[in-house]
């Protein structure tokens, strides 16, 4: 009986494994197709990421046990073809082994079934015996990315050469009013003198059957806030002031803002600070009103909705306003002009950096730079506001941000590729526009697969310092907060002029576990590749150096973390 075996030897790029090759087996005279090849008799090659096609057709005739005689009976041309194909195959294998790229060579064996994922972080489980293989594959992937470093370094050098921290042109107050006529009609120029927080009384014309939060956009667009507003409704009617047959409600803005940055510990700071009896936060931890909701943005990818009026934002401080009103009423009854001790805070981590909506509403841009920023409007109403900023090493911040917001396929490989793509996009912008224009470029920010721009702290802080005094800021590092919570909180208390706590209150505040820590499934993915870390350190270095210079503190250069 004569048989013929035809096997395709293919060189495939990484990630393009084919589980089927042209394989026929059967009587020679019939040439009937065999079932789908399972890979037991194939040899696969992966050569970097380049497509290479090598087809060798081996035709071997066997009869009984006469293996060599069958080979010798082959025609001279076929024997030459066979030998030539084997020589080529041997040379390819040898070249990749000798060049150190043997990790890209995969030889399928009939004794092994199934494959391993290319990224070890994607493995569902790992036995102790797999540890060596895991670390070997990790180092292999990192080494392969090291080869790309020179080209990425050129991109970073191109960006660095174009960095220029320029002073922005501040808008006039009249220009601000033209942009937000309604806001300026609601918020007064002066506030109550005996309240630390900026508060004022506003006439309420509704009847006692009126729902004061019926049209609030936070309720209409988010079910998770409805229980919060149920509590506000119950407390509303008992905290109105009455004079001359009219009802008045106390309205307040925050005394201080925790303005950023995301994934830098702002949630933990918020959770600890709200335990202080003199501090009251908004009913929602992050209203994002100044940066998003006042423009009608819930999620930018979903487009614009109706703009949230300033009254909807002020509603979020009603519970705090009720307590301030009670203290004011009590002091008034005693004929005292005592300063109210309660202060209101707001902790939207987007306030410092997110100005993505400006392109939809502000036309008079100069060379792609926004004519108005969030801080311009806050300063117009609250020139004495206190601002708290929590920062961390921007390299680690970006990886934490990626792990938190990425929905699927998270891995060190994926993060590296996204970082590379983001750097290329940022460089393309810097070739044509200024640093500020690129940082606030909505199109670029939406296109970048990771939020590279959020870690450019110096750019944002300098723009905030163009309208607020440096003494109005408390700049903290997450690294310091994590190592000594008690010290950090004391700095915050001093900055906000808060009263001392009892030992029990302080212990509760400082000894509670960290909030919003990294999820277990994300911790299991491990750190970013060392080469990715090196790339990001190169990128952020000039921005960190400028930040350290502005703050006169080398700790903010994050040279060692």
């Amino acid at each position: 009986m004569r048989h013929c075996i035809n096997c395709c030897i293919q060189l495939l790029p990484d990630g393009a494994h084919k589980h089927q090759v042209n394989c026929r087996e059967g009587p020679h005279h019939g040439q009937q197709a065999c079932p789908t090849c399972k890979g037991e008799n194939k040899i696969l090659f992966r050569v970097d990421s380049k497509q290479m096609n090598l087809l060798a057709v081996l035709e071997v005739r066997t009869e009984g046990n006469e293996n060599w005689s069958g080979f010798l009976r082959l025609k001279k041309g076929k024997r030459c073809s066979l030998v030539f194909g084997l020589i080529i195959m041997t040379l390819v294998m040898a070249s990749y082994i000798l060049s150190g790229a043997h990790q890209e060579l995969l030889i399928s064996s009939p004794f092994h079934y199934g494959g391993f994922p290319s990224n070890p972080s994607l493995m569902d489980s790992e036995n102790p015996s797999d540890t060596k293989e895991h670390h070997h594959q990790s180092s292999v992937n990192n080494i392969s990315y090291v080869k790309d470093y020179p080209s990425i370094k050129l991109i970073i050098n191109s960006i660095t050469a174009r960095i220029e921290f320029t002073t922005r042109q501040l808008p006039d107050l009249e220009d601000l009013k033209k942009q937000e006529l309604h806001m300026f009609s609601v918020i007064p120029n002066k506030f109550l003198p005996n309240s630390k927080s900026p508060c004022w009384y506003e006439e309420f014309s509704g009847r006692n059957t009126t729902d004061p939060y019926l049209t609030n956009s936070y309720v209409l667009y988010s079910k998770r806030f409805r229980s919060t507003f149920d509590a506000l409704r119950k407390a509303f009617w008992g905290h109105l002031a009455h004079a001359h047959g009219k009802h008045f409600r106390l309205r307040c803005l925050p005394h201080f803002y925790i303005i950023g940055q995301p994934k830098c510990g702002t949630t933990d700071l918020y959770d600890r600070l709200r335990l202080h009896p003199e501090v009251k936060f908004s009913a929602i931890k992050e209203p994002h009103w100044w940066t998003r909701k006042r423009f009608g943005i819930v999620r930018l990818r979903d487009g614009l909705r109706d703009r949230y009026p300033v009254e909807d934002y002020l509603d979020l401080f009603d519970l705090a306003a009720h307590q301030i009103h009670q203290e004011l009423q009590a002091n008034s009854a005693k004929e005292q002009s005592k300063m109210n001790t309660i202060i209101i805070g707001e902790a939207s981590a987007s306030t410092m950096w997110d100005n993505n909506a400006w392109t939809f509403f502000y036309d008079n841009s100069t060379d792609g730079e926004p004519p108005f920023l969030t801080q311009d409007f806050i300063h117009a109403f609250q020139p004495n506001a206190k601002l708290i900023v929590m920062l961390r090493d921007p390299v680690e911040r970006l990886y934490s941000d990626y792990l938190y917001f990425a929905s699927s396929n998270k891995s060190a490989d994926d993060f590296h590729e996204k970082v590379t793509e983001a750097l290329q996009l940022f460089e393309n912008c810097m070739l044509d526009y200024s640093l500020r224009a690129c940082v606030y470029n909505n199109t670029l920010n939406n296109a970048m697969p990771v939020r590279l721009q959020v870690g450019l702290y110096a750019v944002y802080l300098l723009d905030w310092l163009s309208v607020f005094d440096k003494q109005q800021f408390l700049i903290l590092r997450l690294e310091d907060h994590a190592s000594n919570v008690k010290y950090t909180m004391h700095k915050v208390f001093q900055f906000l002029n808060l009263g001392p706590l009892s030992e029990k209150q302080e212990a509760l505040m400082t000894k509670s576990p960290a909030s919003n820590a990294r999820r277990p499934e994300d911790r299991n993915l491990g750190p970013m590749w060392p080469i990715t870390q090196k790339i990001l350190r190169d990128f952020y270095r000039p921005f960190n150096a400028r930040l350290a210079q502005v703050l006169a503190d080398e700790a903010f250069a994050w040279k060692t973390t």
Side-chain angles (χ1 to χ4, degrees), residues 494-525:
Q494 184 178 9
F495 177 71
L496 297 176
N497 297 316
L498 295 173
L501 295 176
S502 67
E503 290 185 9
K504 185 177 180 180
Q505 288 174 321
E506 186 170 295
L508 178 63
M509 179 179 294
T510 59
K511 294 182 180 180
S512 57
S515 301
N516 204 23
R518 186 171 295 179
R519 295 170 295 218
E521 59 270 27
D522 290 338
R523 288 198 298 268
N524 292 337
L525 293 176

Side-chain angles (χ1 to χ4, degrees), residues 113-292:
Y113 297 93
F116 294 98
S118 60
N119 185 354
S121 66
L122 297 181
M123 299 178 71
D124 293 331
S125 60
E126 182 180 274
N127 296 322
S129 60
D130 296 330
T131 304
K132 287 187 177 180
E133 177 68 24
H134 180 104
H135 291 298
H136 173 71
Q137 186 66 28
S138 300
S139 62
V140 161
N141 288 353
N142 184 55
I143 291 171
S144 66
Y145 288 131
V146 170
K147 298 176 183 177
D148 301 328
Y149 176 74
S151 60
I152 299 175
K153 182 62 175 176
L154 290 176
I155 295 174
I156 295 173
N157 291 342
S158 173
I159 294 172
T160 302
R162 291 170 172 80
I163 294 176
E164 186 177 359
F165 298 98
T166 58
T167 303
R168 61 180 292 252
Q169 183 177 353
L170 299 181
D172 295 330
L173 180 60
E174 292 304 315
D175 291 332
L176 295 174
K177 290 181 177 179
K178 290 177 183 178
Q179 298 299 325
E180 295 287 354
L181 291 173
H182 180 68
M183 191 195 312
F184 279 89
S185 69
V186 172
I187 301 176
N189 295 326
K190 295 183 179 181
F191 306 111
L192 296 176
N194 51 348
S195 173
K196 285 186 177 180
S197 296
C199 298
W200 68 98
Y201 280 103
E202 172 187 283
E203 183 179 354
F204 181 74
S205 57
R207 299 180 179 180
N208 57 3
T209 57
T210 304
D211 180 358
Y213 308 109
L214 181 64
T215 60
N216 189 289
S217 301
Y218 285 98
V219 184
L220 296 177
Y221 290 123
S222 181
K223 293 181 179 179
R224 64 191 178 99
F225 296 147
R226 291 178 184 175
S227 60
T228 299
F229 280 90
D230 286 340
L232 291 174
R233 287 187 190 93
K234 293 177 182 178
F236 181 81
W237 294 102
H239 296 88
L240 290 178
H242 309 281
H244 310 293
K246 296 180 179 180
H247 302 300
F248 294 87
R249 67 191 296 186
L250 187 66
R251 289 293 208 178
C252 296
L253 282 168
H255 172 71
F256 71 94
Y257 295 84
I258 301 175
I259 63 175
Q261 291 286 65
K263 308 312 298 174
C264 290
T266 57
T267 299
D268 187 72
L269 178 62
Y270 161 84
D271 283 338
R272 296 181 194 279
L273 190 52
R274 67 176 179 165
L275 296 176
H276 197 290
E278 296 177 10
V279 176
K280 304 299 174 185
F281 278 96
S282 52
I284 299 169
K285 188 252 176 182
E286 293 188 275
H288 297 297
W289 186 79
W290 289 102
T291 55
R292 299 169 187 173

Side-chain angles (χ1 to χ4, degrees), residues 94-115:
S95 65
Y96 277 87
I97 291 173
L98 292 175
S99 66
H102 59 278
Q103 69 273 8
E104 297 296 336
L105 188 65
L106 171 66
I107 302 181
S108 297
S109 167
F111 303 105
H112 298 282
Y113 297 93

